[in-house]
Amino acid sequence: FWKIMNMNSSSHRYTQPPSSRQKQEPEDADQVIVQTDFGRGLIVRTRKIDGIKEIRLGDVKSSSSSPAFRRREPNMLYTPKDYPSVPPCIGDDVICEYGRGVLKEIADDKYTIELASWRLSGRSNVTCHVVSSPPKVVRKHALHEMDSAEKVALAKSQKAEAAKYFSEKDYTGALNTYASAVDKVRNVQHDHTSSNEVRADLVVIMITCSNNAATCCIKLAKWEEASKFAKNALIMLDALYGKRGMKIHTILNSEGIIDAKLFGEWRVKSYLVVARACMEQGEVEDAIAILKKAKGLGMPYIDELSSSADQSSRGKEEKASLRALTLQMKELKRLVAEYSEKRKAAKKIEKKKAKVMAKALFGGGDGKENATPDKQNNVKERDSSETKQHVEQVYDEQEKAVEDQTGVGSGVATGQIAGAGTRKAPFKRKSSLKSKLEREDPPVQQSVSFSDQPPQVKEFDRAKDDDDDETPWQKHKEALILMGIAGVSVLTIVGLRRAYR
């Protein structure tokens, strides 16, 4: 026999015969893993011309077309000798006289094999028991070598593995495994060997794994990826909804996946994920609209399941869907209330910003127009008290001036005159000004004279009276400014158009 390629001995280095290099035969469909004198090896092909077996040593998992195989030169063994197969273990792909399958059980030299090469109607599996000789262990098929049924079975196993990661709160591992399961069946090309049950299983795996991957993204705060996974599930659900009553939909209903679960529970779950992703990305209006749409999809199924007369006749699937939809509606209601409050707060902030911008652009008064009612009342009370104090001060000053002119002191009795023969004593007023000011709001300014001279009015009083009458400019200042800006803009546009003509 010939031995070649790095056998750590120069005496065993031989080249491949020229005849075999000229014409390469196809690889074996089922590549057996054998135990050689140099360790484990994989029979890549068996030549029909001379019966030589090409055995790749070391790497027995990857196929010859895999990237890992092409990156390096393997150690090859060419021999006509029949090496025995390695001992089989549970879960290995094996081949026996009845076909290829997976080894499920070993008991007292009895091997239980679930055949994959046999296809029966429905979901029936063929199981055989081998006792004559142990089956041969073969390499597992690569993804490109699998048919649709094998790809769906692989995706199912990965889905179960991802569920374990999720229960252990390993959300990164669960996300990667769910995404891998989706990729396994994303580009499946169905042919005449694909049964309707396989197609139904593929739809379920695509929807559930996409939704579960979106949930993992929510846990990891990957909002964009969560939205993509959830929208993929919605695409599958919408396509299935358009084919209600057909074979795949009928198979799913017969297996316990009712419409309330398909188009109610699973749909609402996808919309909840999309709404949360929109909210985290600042799209509040879109999030609220999506939640309302989800409510419109879920409530009819709740009403349908709740309105059944005989509640004891409900199956487990109906009760589970009703319970899940009720919880989803509660969560949906909570999110709508929360997002509505956030929208109101955002609108208030926008209004405040608009007021600040308007004030900065067009100016503003002393702020009394934009003050709240409480602030306006405080301003009125402060102005009233200041006016009362001012009037009292004027009254005291005028009374002191009258006393100086008439000579009436604090020790002169009422009705007497000091230093005057013919003039009458001045009239002493009643101190009713303060009570009048307390009764009336706003206060009335009064000037009282006790002499022949005309009453004295201070300049700032006249200025204050003059300021009470606002001019049209002051009343409509902002409107006039806007009209002026608009007029200038119109004239500029008209002038530019004439210039270009």
Side-chain angles (χ1 to χ4, degrees), residues 137-154:
V137 180
V138 295
R139 177 182 60 83
K140 291 182 179 294
H141 281 163
L143 184 63
H144 66 277
E145 298 172 331
M146 296 180 180
D147 58 10
S148 57
E150 289 176 323
K151 290 180 179 179
V152 170
L154 178 60

Side-chain angles (χ1 to χ4, degrees), residues 371-382:
T372 59
D374 294 338
K375 292 183 179 180
Q376 291 179 355
N377 294 333
N378 294 335
V379 171
K380 288 182 180 179
E381 292 176 0
R382 186 174 66 252

Side-chain angles (χ1 to χ4, degrees), residues 3 9 42 70 74 86 103 121 133 179 201 210 225 271-272 287 318 323 379 447 463 469:
K3 296 180 285 297
S9 175
L42 179 70
R70 290 194 297 265
V86 297
L103 184 60
S121 62
S133 61
D201 289 344
S210 296
E225 294 182 17
Y271 278 119
L272 284 173
E318 294 178 349
R323 192 183 308 111
V379 171
S447 61
D469 298 327

